[in-house]
Amino acid sequence: MHDTQTIGVIGTGLMGAPMARRIAEAGHRVRAWNRTPDKTETLREHGIEVAHSANDTATDADFIIVMLSSGPVCDDVLLGDDGVIAHMAPGAILVVMSSIPVETARGQAQAAETAGVGYLDAPVSGGERGAIDGKLAIMVGGETDTYARARALFSHLGRDVHVGPAGSGQLAKLANQTIVANTIATVAEALLLAERGGADPGKVREALLGGFADSTILQVHGERMLKEDFRPGGPAKWQWKDTQTAQALADELSLELPVSRLVDGLFADMVAHGDGDLDHSALIRELRRRNGERPS
């Protein structure tokens, strides 16, 4: 992708907007669409065209990037006689970077192949900050030659790894989300334990940095918990969507994942108590509720 290419971006929310900006700043023509039109207006300042419909993003596009909220929403936009895939030029590549079920990705790949369109499922990790800085972890499933054609595009967004055929990217993302969700719960429990035991949880966190208990979650989300800064970098409702998807797949595979099932229940209760739009690190609020506290 050495020459200027046309990139359609479908979904310009928390993640999609900074990703679209980075691609435009790299010198490519970007045409964006979002279900809520207001979220595309500021993109004009970065030279990004605003499409009137999702299908309009496919006009002359070399690549279409999809960053929508769920599998059903992606299918609704992409599939069918009047879906985006039907409007893409043969040989163009569809890159679905949303977190969706594995079987949904495989179904989309089949539809794309029938239409003569390349397909990659390429979910990401790194949150809004990673999208802004171009430091996303990109987990890619799809055909090797299709992946090779997309690598230059991925270079503007972060670090990519090809993990296998279509659907494999989503499997990697589910593994990622399982680690993230379970570790958030563990860090929250550890900080509460320190606090209730009479220690300064901030100092305890500082003491643990660099040891075996250290992690990005302890560093970033632990600090969020201490400061009660729960502005959404990764909204809890989307974390819960992913833990549900992981549990559904585990059930299909007859896998018993007791820790993950418990954490899925914690996020379910968190969302039920009205905290779904907060950052997923706000799970500590749910643990406070379970321990007789009323979160501030």
Side-chain angles (χ1 to χ4, degrees):
M1 210 172 79
H2 301 294
D3 301 323
T4 298
Q5 298 204 24
T6 299
I7 316 295
V9 177
I10 297 175
T12 58
L14 211 59
M15 301 288 288
M19 291 164 70
R21 289 197 298 268
R22 288 196 62 84
I23 295 167
E25 287 165 3
H28 298 289
R29 179 188 180 195
V30 179
R31 188 185 298 118
W33 176 83
N34 195 76
R35 288 175 296 168
T36 306
D38 290 350
K39 291 185 178 180
T40 57
E41 287 308 309
T42 59
L43 295 177
R44 294 182 191 273
E45 302 166 12
H46 300 270
I48 295 171
E49 302 169 29
V50 175
H52 297 295
S53 70
N55 289 342
D56 285 346
T57 63
T59 305
D60 300 325
D62 299 291
F63 291 85
I64 294 288
I65 289 177
V66 178
M67 201 56 166
L68 295 171
S69 60
S70 68
V73 171
C74 287
D75 277 354
D76 185 55
V77 170
L78 296 175
L79 304 182
D81 293 340
D82 197 38
V84 169
I85 291 175
H87 288 78
M88 292 178 68
I93 295 176
L94 174 63
V95 185
V96 177
M97 304 188 83
S98 308
S99 295
I100 60 178
V102 174
E103 286 307 313
T104 301
R106 289 171 177 163
Q108 292 172 358
Q110 275 193 323
E113 183 179 9
T114 300
V117 169
Y119 180 87
L120 299 171
D121 60 296
V124 300
S125 180
E128 183 184 16
R129 188 75 257 165
I132 292 169
D133 294 341
K135 294 183 177 179
L136 293 169
I138 308 169
M139 298 150 265
V140 190
E143 297 293 333
T144 303
D145 56 345
T146 306
Y147 166 66
R149 290 175 56 199
R151 291 208 69 190
L153 175 61
F154 291 144
S155 71
H156 305 310
L157 305 175
R159 179 182 61 85
D160 57 276
V161 176
H162 185 223
V163 294
S168 299
Q170 300 301 336
L171 278 169
K173 181 60 186 289
L174 287 178
N176 178 88
Q177 293 302 80
T178 296
I179 292 170
V180 169
N182 294 2
T183 308
I184 284 174
T186 299
V187 168
E189 287 188 351
L191 294 179
L192 282 177
L193 179 65
E195 179 185 298
R196 284 288 185 97
D200 179 338
K203 290 297 184 181
V204 170
R205 171 185 167 277
E206 183 181 346
L208 298 179
L209 297 176
F212 274 6
D214 197 3
S215 68
T216 302
I217 300 296
L218 180 64
Q219 294 166 22
V220 177
H221 293 78
E223 185 175 24
R224 282 175 171 267
M225 293 173 192
L226 293 169
K227 293 181 176 179
E228 297 188 347
D229 176 10
F230 300 131
R231 291 170 294 177
K237 62 185 178 184
W238 301 137
Q239 180 73 70
W240 181 42
K241 178 202 70 170
D242 291 338
T243 60
Q244 286 178 289
T245 301
Q247 283 303 308
L249 180 60
D251 290 343
E252 288 176 25
L253 298 172
S254 299
L255 269 177
E256 178 61 28
L257 303 177
V259 175
S260 299
R261 189 173 296 279
L262 178 60
V263 172
D264 177 56
L266 283 171
F267 276 103
D269 289 348
M270 177 184 177
V271 172
H273 285 129
D275 285 348
D277 288 323
L278 299 179
D279 189 78
H280 46 184
S281 59
L283 187 67
I284 195 170
R285 289 167 53 89
E286 188 56 40
L287 291 172
R288 290 192 184 282
R289 289 188 189 96
R290 291 193 177 206
N291 287 283
E293 296 182 41
R294 180 178 296 177
S296 56

